[in-house]
């Protein structure tokens, strides 16, 4: 593998690299060994500590937690997408008070912690715990999605909206038929990474008492005693990482697909119109 | 409303803790993230592999899980930390991969000729990175970096949610018990305290972005 930051390694550089690799490997192995030794001395690696994981009921219980996580995340994702679209449309309304109000809603809810919104839903609005968790996720992520869509629309070539107006489309038609579909397409990777963020944020439900994966892992640890805390934690973390990693792969895949077709589409547009477009404003806009 | 005014000192205490927690974690994660980014672009395969693994693992772990690990699992198996240093550790561990990715994309955005020129002068990888590429990438990296730190500000609320740190979210959890009738005012006060940090910071990002765009 070559990089512009360093030359293709010669004999001396390769030797140095091998030495550093060895040193690095020794340090990492040493740290892992030290950690394992420490764990072993605490009895955390004893088979008894990990034996609860052989019990299928434990797995059923943990997977129920994962299911609760996914259920809240899925419902919140759908509602947040819908509300995000509504907010994005309202931000382009012809009535300035509506525009102003939508912008204020987006700014305020984007700037608040999700836990606080969940907490607000549960203790102030009197929602059930599940509804409160979904409420927090929906309100926050709808604001972020509205902002992502706004950025996507702003990144489209001006001619798109102008052409649509020129053929007599109404304001709403311009938005729903011409601008939003293109904005969704260019911002798809960002939207998917935002759904990864949403899924991760579902774990905040732990704080307001929602019985999700982390809570179930904790309950299991309490049931089996503190020796089981590490195994249960490792399983919960591994489940979260696996699910999020898969969703993240999907985002990367969409980005690749989008950028290959999108790039040819862009160059075609540039050739036809002689203008430059700034499509693909970036997948970096997700807010964790 | 009166409940908020009566408890202004408590709000102030929470606000200061949130701010301190955010700044300390921002500093630590900036250092960690820069080291990680250097690992990810380095010529040594082991370091690259380490950087990539760390980023992929931690980025996909929810912050609550990180906090749970630092607060409840680490004392059993490694060592226990006080709540405040523990919170800084958890927030820094969680934020550093995001900082790393921002810096790495900043490094990648520097024109190839810069690094090539440095190399043709005989500079080593370390010299190329620290004296030529990283200083130039600062400008482009600043806006997304501030965005990461805005997210960090909001994320610091997790510390107050059952992890024994009394910051703004801790205020939101404690006060409604004492003044159940004023719950909306109390929560609005906490929300306002967060917005005082996040909205101006968001404006700053906009200003920085415009500056960067003009200068390029």
């Amino acid at each position: 593998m070559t990089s512009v930051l360093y030359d293709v390694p010669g004999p001396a550089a390769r030797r140095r690299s091998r030495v550093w690799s060895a040193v690095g490997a020794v340090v990492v192995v040493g740290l892992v060994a030290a950690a394992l030794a420490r764990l072993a001395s605490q009895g955390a690696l004893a088979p008894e500590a990990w034996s609860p994981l052989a019990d299928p009921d434990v797995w059923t219980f943990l997977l129920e937690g994962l299911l609760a996580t996914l259920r809240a995340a899925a419902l919140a994702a759908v509602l947040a997408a819908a509300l995000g679209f509504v907010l994005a449309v309202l931000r382009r309304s012809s009535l300035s008070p509506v525009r102003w109000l939508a912008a204020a809603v987006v700014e305020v809810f984007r700037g608040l912690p999700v836990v606080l919104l969940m907490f607000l839903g549960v203790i102030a609005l009197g929602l059930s715990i599940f509804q409160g968790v979904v409420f927090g996720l929906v309100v926050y992520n709808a604001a972020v999605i509205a902002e992502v869509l706004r950025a996507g629309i702003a990144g489209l070539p001006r001619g798109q909206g102008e052409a649509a107006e020129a053929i007599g489309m109404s304001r709403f038609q311009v938005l729903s038929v011409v601008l939003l579909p293109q904005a969704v397409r260019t911002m798809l990777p960002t939207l998917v990474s935002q759904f990864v963020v949403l899924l991760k944020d579902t774990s905040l439900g732990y704080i307001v008492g929602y019985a999700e994966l982390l809570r179930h892992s904790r309950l299991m640890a309490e049931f089996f005693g503190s020796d089981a805390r590490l195994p249960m934690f490792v399983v919960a973390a591994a489940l979260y990482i696996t699910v999020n990693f898969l969703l993240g792969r999907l985002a990367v895949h969409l980005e690749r697909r989008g950028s290959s077709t999108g790039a040819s589409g862009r160059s075609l547009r540039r050739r036809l119109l002689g203008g430059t477009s700034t499509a693909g404003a970036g997948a970096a806009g997700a807010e964790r | 409303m009166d409940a908020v005014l009566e408890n202004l000192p408590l709000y102030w205490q929470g606000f200061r803790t949130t701010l301190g927690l955010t700044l300390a974690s921002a500093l630590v994660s900036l250092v960690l993230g820069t080291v990680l980014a250097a690992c990810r672009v380095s010529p040594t395969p082991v370091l690259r592999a380490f950087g990539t693994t760390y980023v992929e693992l931690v980025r996909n772990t929810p912050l609550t899980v990180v906090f749970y690990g630092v607060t409840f699992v680490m004392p059993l198996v490694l060592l226990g930390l006080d709540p405040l240093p523990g919170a800084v550790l958890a927030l820094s561990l969680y934020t550093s991969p995001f900082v790393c990715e921002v810096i790495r994309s900043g490094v990648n955005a520097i024109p190839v000729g810069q690094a090539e020129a440095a190399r043709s002068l005989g500079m080593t990888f370390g010299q190329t990175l620290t004296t030529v590429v990283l200083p130039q990438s600062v400008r482009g990296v600043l806006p997304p970096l501030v965005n990461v730190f805005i997210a960090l500000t909001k994320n610091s609320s997790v510390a107050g949610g059952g992890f024994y740190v009394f910051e703004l979210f801790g205020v939101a959890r404690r006060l409604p018990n004492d003044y159940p009738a004023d719950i909306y005012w109390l929560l609005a006060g906490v929300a306002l305290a967060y917005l005082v940090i996040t909205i101006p910071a968001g404006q700053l990002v906009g200003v920085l972005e415009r500056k960067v765009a003009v200068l390029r």
Side-chain angles (χ1 to χ4, degrees):
Chain A
M1 185 183 155
T2 56
S3 156
V4 290
L5 290 174
Y6 44 88
D7 292 293
V8 175
R14 275 206 298 274
R15 208 176 315 124
R16 211 165 45 231
S17 169
R18 270 200 299 276
V19 170
W20 279 110
S21 291
V23 170
V26 166
V27 169
V28 170
V29 169
L31 283 177
V32 170
L36 285 180
R38 170 97 185 146
L39 292 181
S41 74
Q42 305 271 335
L45 292 184
E48 305 86 70
W50 294 74
S51 61
L53 292 182
D55 186 345
D57 288 347
V58 171
W59 281 96
T60 315
F61 190 68
L62 288 176
L63 290 177
E64 267 170 22
L66 179 63
L67 211 64
T69 295
L70 293 176
R71 202 167 52 226
L75 180 59
V78 173
L79 294 178
L83 189 60
F85 266 90
V86 171
L87 280 172
V89 170
L90 290 182
R91 273 190 97 165
R92 293 181 69 89
S93 153
S94 51
L95 298 169
S96 56
V98 174
R99 271 204 309 273
W100 184 85
L101 196 68
V105 165
V106 167
E107 278 301 310
V108 166
F109 289 117
R110 213 163 58 108
L112 291 177
V114 181
V115 219
L116 187 66
L117 293 169
M118 288 180 178
F119 191 66
L120 175 85
V122 173
I123 73 155
L125 303 181
L127 301 173
S128 77
I129 302 260
F130 175 76
Q131 289 166 342
V133 168
V134 172
F135 169 81
L137 289 171
V138 167
V139 171
Y140 175 78
N141 287 287
V144 174
I145 287 171
E147 188 62 20
V148 168
L149 290 175
R150 193 190 61 82
I153 291 174
L156 294 175
R158 286 183 67 94
Q160 294 293 323
E162 286 168 359
E165 274 164 27
I167 59 172
M169 284 186 172
S170 73
R171 211 179 160 94
F172 181 71
Q173 277 177 320
V174 173
L175 204 54
S176 62
V177 181
V178 178
L179 296 182
L180 273 178
Q182 297 190 69
V184 169
R185 179 154 184 189
T186 52
M187 295 316 248
L188 201 54
T190 314
L191 289 173
V192 176
S193 6
Q194 190 58 40
F195 290 134
V196 176
V197 174
L198 187 152
L199 181 59
K200 273 165 63 181
D201 280 350
T202 310
S203 72
L204 294 170
Y206 167 84
I207 293 172
V208 294
Y210 181 51
E212 43 71 74
L213 179 54
L214 188 60
R215 173 70 56 184
H216 273 212
S217 141
R218 181 179 188 161
L219 288 173
M220 280 289 98
E222 274 162 12
F223 181 74
F224 285 105
S226 64
D227 275 353
R229 215 184 270 175
L230 178 70
M232 292 307 158
F233 171 72
V234 168
V235 170
L239 285 173
Y240 262 120
I241 291 171
T242 311
V243 173
N244 289 325
F245 183 77
L246 292 176
L247 249 180
R249 286 289 104 179
L250 178 67
V252 172
H253 173 73
L254 287 173
E255 192 168 18
R256 291 237 173 86
R257 218 188 55 173
S259 68
S260 60
T261 57
S264 61
R266 269 206 299 284
S267 63
L268 178 67
R269 202 149 59 218
R270 198 170 302 144
R271 236 178 303 143
L272 291 174
L273 299 172
T276 52
S277 80
T278 50
E287 300 199 7
R288 44 256 136 195
Chain B
M1 191 71 195
D2 289 343
V4 176
L5 295 177
E6 265 171 46
N7 288 291
L8 272 183
L10 210 59
Y11 276 95
W12 177 232
Q13 189 196 339
F15 183 79
R16 271 194 333 231
T17 313
T18 291
L19 209 56
L21 205 55
T22 305
L23 291 178
S25 312
L27 211 61
V28 178
S29 60
L30 191 59
V31 174
L32 275 179
T34 311
V35 173
L36 277 174
C39 281
R40 287 203 73 174
V41 297
S42 91
T44 311
V46 169
L47 291 182
R48 275 207 305 271
F50 167 74
T52 313
T53 314
Y54 181 87
V55 167
E56 282 300 326
L57 278 185
V58 178
R59 214 164 48 151
N60 285 315
T61 312
L63 179 60
T64 328
V65 174
V66 179
F67 260 99
Y68 183 87
V70 169
T71 312
F72 299 120
V73 182
M74 229 175 67
L76 284 183
V77 295
L78 226 51
L79 78 162
L81 288 175
D82 284 338
L84 210 57
V88 173
L89 177 70
L91 286 168
S92 307
L93 285 178
Y94 178 80
T95 310
S96 53
F98 297 104
V99 174
C100 164
E101 290 306 272
V102 164
I103 292 180
R104 195 168 67 101
S105 64
V107 165
N108 287 336
I110 299 301
V112 175
Q114 295 291 327
E116 281 173 349
R119 272 166 56 205
S120 69
L121 288 175
M123 286 185 169
T124 64
F125 165 73
Q127 286 172 323
T128 308
L129 195 62
T130 55
T131 64
V132 177
V133 175
L134 275 183
Q136 294 190 65
S137 65
V138 168
R139 190 206 285 161
V141 153
L142 224 45
L145 204 56
V146 177
N147 268 331
V148 169
F149 292 148
I150 294 175
L152 171 63
T153 311
K154 291 181 282 183
N155 284 336
S156 71
S157 60
V158 176
F163 299 105
Y164 311 121
V165 178
F166 187 73
E167 42 68 78
L168 278 173
F169 184 61
V171 175
R173 297 210 319 164
R174 184 196 285 180
L175 285 182
N177 292 331
D178 302 336
Y179 307 89
D182 291 323
I183 186 157
Y184 284 103
W185 285 110
L186 292 168
L187 292 185
V190 173
L192 190 68
Y194 274 109
L195 294 177
V196 162
I197 305 177
T198 52
I199 288 187
Q203 302 290 325
L204 177 69
V205 175
V207 171
L208 285 174
E209 266 170 359
R210 275 195 293 281
K211 279 232 155 97
V212 172
V214 168
L215 284 170
R216 266 213 186 117

